Amino acid sequence: MLNALNDKADIANSDLLTMLRMGVEQSFNAVIITDADLGKSGTKILYANPAFCKMTGYQANELRGLSPRILQGPLTCPNVINQLRHCLKNNQNFHGSAVNYKKDGSTYYVEWNISPVFDDTGEVSHFISIQQDVSHKIVSDNTEQILMEALNTTPDSVMITDTNGIINYVNQGFVSQTGYSYSDILGQRPSMLKSGEHQQEFYQELWDTLLKGNTFRATFLNKRKNASQYYSDQSITPIKDNIGNTTHYISVSKDLSERVRDEQAFREISKLDALTGVLIRSAGELEIEKYFMKSLHGTPFSLSMIDIDHFKSINDQWGHPTGDKILQIVAETIKSCLRLTDHVIRWGGEEFLLLFDNCDLNAANGLVERCRIAVANIDYPQIEGVTISAGVAQLHAKEDVASLIARADRALYQSKAEGRNKVSLQR
């Protein structure tokens, strides 16, 4: 009787195995079974059902002995694969989704589960993976192809991240703009591009805007792979599903570096006096304001008002072209006598205002005296004895800029009254 019971059990087990095999073979979901060898080349496929072959384009006999890694490519998220390997190594179940590649090189979105299979001794002998092509949930095959081609055709940079800020996709424009390859950037965070020039408040505003479901637009100063910086006009927009939940963020940016360089060059040129090459008065007033603000924190600030002696007579006797030449020579001479941190402003006509950063009255007096001597020692064409007169003043505590300039101007007139070619101080 015992033998009869065992025979019945064997028949039942055989029927169960046949039923299970038929179920897997006819399953709508793709199924593969691999060995448990997690060596350098990864696990090997031992079995693939028809649904898996249909999904990937491979024949079952082509897959046997190969690693599932053959399905991965440039758009497969490295972060997901790293998570997968971690789970397998620790005999844990895995669930994830990513872009995979068919035999013909086309992409599809796959969602899959992997479970370890334990033998009678408790050791993992195999892994079983149940997969499903979920491309229809993302975009139809035709639309996806058109979208990918369009994204890679545009010269603008396109980047897509998940809600955790992990980069899932970049286009060729991104690669060209940043110098990072697909393998460099996929699975990383956009913070790789940070130049360090933006304050924390800038990024706080960015996330506050995105978390409200709105688009954030700004000019970013980013950093390429080679550490060079570039300006980009960038918009970041939340991507939402059918019920309004944010699933991803898409960033589109245009490289503005060349335009910004042109604008900066134009602004620099427009700040300078066309004749003498020193700051025009409006640009100089901005520098005065900067130095004044620094002085509120204890930095000494001095300035000097300078006038070319008898300049009207030079114009009247020798003509304006000669006068213009004298202005140019005097301005160049003064600049050559000062420090790089000092500024020369053409204040009006033949008057110049000199700004001295972090400089007290005595030090400023020494710099201006050096200018006076240098101007007086130049051999001018046609004219002899061109000189300058100057007044120097240092900002007092609680004094405003207008008062400081007025005191320097009074010192200038004192130099003129005392015979010119002289530097006078206003203490």
Side-chain angles (χ1 to χ4, degrees):
M1 182 176 290
L2 183 59
N3 289 335
L5 290 174
N6 287 336
D7 289 342
K8 288 182 179 180
D10 288 342
I11 293 171
N13 288 337
S14 177
D15 289 344
L16 179 60
L17 289 173
T18 300
M19 182 177 63
L20 286 173
R21 184 175 184 85
M22 290 176 61
V24 171
E25 288 284 318
Q26 298 174 32
S27 172
F28 169 79
N29 290 319
V31 178
I32 60 170
I33 297 174
T34 71
D35 63 21
D37 185 358
L38 299 176
K40 186 175 181 180
S41 58
T43 59
K44 300 296 185 296
I45 297 172
L46 302 177
Y47 168 80
N49 74 342
F52 186 89
C53 295
K54 181 179 179 181
M55 181 174 70
T56 64
Y58 288 94
Q59 298 295 321
N61 60 349
E62 293 178 305
L63 292 168
R64 289 190 194 100
L66 297 180
S67 168
R69 294 178 185 178
I70 63 168
L71 305 174
Q72 299 171 19
L75 296 181
T76 305
C77 180
N79 192 55
V80 173
I81 300 303
N82 288 337
Q83 182 186 354
L84 181 156
R85 291 171 181 165
H86 174 79
C87 289
L88 297 189
K89 183 179 180 180
N90 291 279
N91 300 333
Q92 298 173 344
N93 294 325
F94 168 80
H95 173 78
S97 60
V99 175
N100 269 357
Y101 288 77
K102 299 182 181 182
K103 181 180 178 180
D104 63 6
S106 61
T107 60
Y108 65 98
Y109 290 87
V110 64
E111 184 174 273
W112 77 106
N113 298 278
I114 302 177
S115 300
V117 178
F118 297 90
D119 60 20
D120 293 338
T121 66
E123 296 294 324
V124 175
S125 61
H126 300 84
F127 292 102
I128 182 169
S129 174
I130 301 174
Q131 305 184 9
Q132 189 176 27
D133 185 343
V134 294
S135 299
H136 62 283
K137 296 179 181 178
I138 311 297
V139 64
S140 70
D141 291 342
N142 186 44
T143 303
E144 177 187 354
Q145 185 64 29
I146 294 172
L147 176 61
M148 292 301 177
E149 289 179 1
L151 290 178
N152 274 319
T153 300
T154 177
D156 293 342
S157 166
V158 179
M159 173 175 62
I160 298 175
T161 74
D162 62 20
T163 53
N164 294 317
I166 301 300
I167 299 172
N168 295 158
Y169 170 82
V170 294
N171 72 338
Q172 182 58 43
F174 178 96
V175 173
S176 300
Q177 190 175 110
T178 67
Y180 285 103
S181 67
Y182 295 107
S183 59
D184 287 332
I185 203 73
L186 293 177
Q188 303 299 322
R189 295 179 182 274
S191 57
M192 289 180 69
L193 305 176
K194 280 186 177 182
S195 64
E197 298 296 331
H198 294 289
Q199 300 297 318
Q200 184 58 39
E201 291 77 13
F202 177 85
Y203 296 104
Q204 185 64 51
E205 181 184 357
L206 182 159
W207 280 109
D208 287 347
T209 302
L210 294 182
L211 292 176
K212 291 177 183 176
N214 299 324
T215 297
F216 179 80
R217 294 184 178 87
T219 298
F220 285 70
L221 179 55
N222 286 335
K223 183 176 67 174
R224 297 185 180 90
K225 183 178 180 179
N226 64 7
S228 64
Q229 294 182 346
Y230 68 100
Y231 288 90
S232 68
D233 181 19
Q234 190 166 342
S235 65
I236 306 173
T237 303
I239 300 174
K240 300 181 180 180
D241 59 20
N242 293 333
I243 59 175
N245 294 323
T246 298
T247 61
H248 296 81
Y249 297 104
I250 182 169
S251 166
V252 181
S253 62
K254 183 185 293 292
D255 190 341
L256 298 180
S257 298
E258 185 173 348
R259 194 178 87 183
V260 169
R261 283 194 296 269
D262 290 344
E263 290 176 353
Q264 288 175 334
F266 175 77
R267 284 197 296 268
E268 288 301 314
I269 291 173
S270 64
K271 288 166 53 177
L272 302 180
D273 177 57
L275 177 64
T276 63
V278 303
L279 292 175
I280 60 174
R281 181 162 179 162
S282 59
E285 288 172 341
L286 293 176
E287 296 301 325
I288 293 172
E289 185 66 23
K290 291 178 186 177
Y291 284 13
F292 176 75
M293 296 304 295
K294 287 178 66 175
S295 72
L296 298 179
H297 300 284
T299 302
F301 171 33
S302 301
L303 55 76
S304 174
M305 187 72 76
I306 289 179
D307 188 75
I308 300 177
D309 295 328
H310 304 296
F311 188 74
K312 185 177 183 303
S313 299
I314 294 173
N315 275 335
D316 290 344
Q317 183 176 355
W318 301 99
H320 288 282
T322 300
D324 288 347
K325 187 63 179 177
I326 296 300
L327 281 169
Q328 291 174 331
I329 295 173
V330 170
E332 290 171 1
T333 302
I334 291 173
K335 283 195 297 182
S336 69
C337 294
L338 302 183
R339 306 169 302 172
L340 293 176
T341 55
D342 300 329
H343 287 294
V344 182
I345 308 165
R346 188 175 180 189
W347 201 244
E350 72 276 16
E351 269 190 335
F352 296 93
L353 188 66
L354 277 53
L355 308 182
F356 303 105
D357 181 32
N358 194 18
C359 189
D360 62 19
L361 186 65
N362 290 332
N365 177 57
L367 289 167
V368 178
E369 181 64 20
R370 185 162 66 183
C371 294
R372 183 194 67 78
I373 294 171
V375 170
N377 287 335
I378 291 175
D379 291 328
Y380 296 91
Q382 298 181 321
I383 303 171
E384 294 182 3
V386 174
T387 59
I388 57 173
S389 297
V392 185
Q394 179 181 347
L395 185 72
H396 291 162
K398 299 183 179 180
E399 184 180 24
D400 59 28
V401 170
S403 172
L404 172 64
I405 294 174
R407 289 196 299 112
D409 201 41
R410 287 198 296 273
L412 167 62
Y413 278 93
Q414 178 184 340
S415 294
K416 289 184 175 183
E418 294 177 0
R420 293 184 168 83
N421 191 21
K422 178 180 174 62
V423 178
S424 298
L425 305 183
Q426 257 282 336
R427 299 188 182 277

